[in-house]
Amino acid sequence: SQQGEEDPQALSIQEGENATMNCSYKTSINNLQWYRQNSGRGLVHLILIRSNEREKHSGRLRVTLDTSKKSSSLLITASRAADTASYFCATDRRGSNYKLTFGKGTLLTVNP
Amino acid sequence: EPEVTQTPSHQVTQMGQEVILRCVPISNHLYFYWYRQILGQKVEFLVSFYNNEISEKSEIFDDQFSVERPDGSNFTLKIRSTKLEDSAMYFCASSVERVGETQYFGPGTRLLVL
């Protein structure tokens, strides 16, 4: 089964708009993390939300987690051209205490 | 701010050659990981390492792969006999604790096997 599937696969918006990306997963998790990757570069950690949390904020980022639906969303408000990147969710699955399982990611393009 | 570093940033090798990818995790972190990302695909877990031994490994991490913490700061991934399909970006990560903690990733080593 696929764990950590993001949608949409690609999103193109104008600067100043909000961007919402979703992630679904199939098994119970300990926590869910969102990462960002600029083209061909490393993974930058954005935010971690634990399974007993429902919402978390960090600057312009807002993450929600619905464990009953096994889904999470990442909202970037007032987007900037510099937010252009791929965004991945990664789950830390219950019973597997070490590894993160990544989705395929959403490619966000913010047009100036 | 402390960060994970990796060397080299790029490596080109011939099929069948051995490569060693190096990582320096964040200094107070206890858990270390290797992941890889084949171009256009998901980031995949390879192995985790704690207390000088492998904690968990994926089916990708076969006998051609090995990891080592040769001293107090470096963490290495060795591929004994590289194959074309080993071409990928390899990421090292580290975390303070195991469960429920952020894994911090390095910038990656892009490996190209010819």
Side-chain angles (χ1 to χ4, degrees), chain B residues 34 36 45-48 54 56-67 77-86 90:
Chain B
W34 284 101
R36 77 173 186 190
F45 170 80
L46 293 178
V47 67
S48 59
I54 290 173
E56 186 173 356
K57 60 183 181 179
S58 72
E59 58 273 11
I60 302 170
F61 194 89
D62 61 21
D63 292 344
Q64 293 298 313
F65 292 88
S66 62
V67 289
L77 174 69
K78 182 192 289 187
I79 309 174
R80 274 182 253 286
S81 178
T82 50
K83 304 172 193 157
L84 297 177
E85 54 265 37
D86 293 328
Y90 287 81

Side-chain angles (χ1 to χ4, degrees), chain A residues 2 5 30-31 33 35 37 40-43 45 48 50 92 96-100 102 104, chain B residues 31 33 35 37 42-43 45 48 55-56 89 91 98-103 105-107 110:
Chain A
Q2 299 283 353
E5 295 287 337
N30 294 309
N31 62 64
Q33 306 185 45
Y35 288 85
Q37 183 182 36
R41 308 290 293 274
L43 294 161
H45 182 261
L48 179 152
R50 303 191 191 283
D92 176 357
S96 172
N97 292 326
Y98 302 96
K99 68 181 186 183
L100 293 178
F102 283 81
K104 291 183 180 178
Chain B
Y31 293 85
Y33 314 84
Y35 292 81
Q37 184 181 33
K42 295 182 181 185
V43 175
F45 170 80
S48 59
S55 309
E56 186 173 356
M89 180 78 98
F91 293 107
R98 185 184 64 194
V99 176
E101 291 297 329
T102 298
Q103 291 186 19
F105 283 73
R110 185 170 294 284

Side-chain angles (χ1 to χ4, degrees), chain A residues 7-94:
Chain A
D7 74 86
Q9 291 187 349
L11 179 63
S12 181
I13 59 174
Q14 295 299 120
E15 213 165 20
E17 293 180 341
N18 296 341
T20 299
M21 290 160 274
N22 302 297
C23 167
S24 62
Y25 57 91
K26 295 194 184 303
T27 62
S28 295
I29 60 171
N30 294 309
N31 62 64
L32 186 145
Q33 306 185 45
W34 283 92
Y35 288 85
R36 163 200 167 121
Q37 183 182 36
N38 285 52
S39 179
R41 308 290 293 274
L43 294 161
V44 176
H45 182 261
L46 297 176
I47 200 163
L48 179 152
I49 186 164
R50 303 191 191 283
S51 59
N52 61 353
E53 297 176 314
R54 292 296 166 257
E55 189 171 311
K56 209 160 181 183
H57 297 255
S58 176
R60 293 184 296 113
L61 304 181
R62 173 177 167 249
V63 168
T64 62
L65 179 64
D66 187 335
T67 53
S68 67
K69 294 181 180 177
K70 292 186 169 58
S71 67
S72 173
S73 67
L74 171 66
L75 168 68
I76 303 175
T77 59
S79 63
R80 305 166 182 166
D83 294 329
T84 294
S86 290
Y87 292 82
F88 298 90
C89 69
T91 52
D92 176 357
R93 197 186 306 187
R94 287 220 181 120

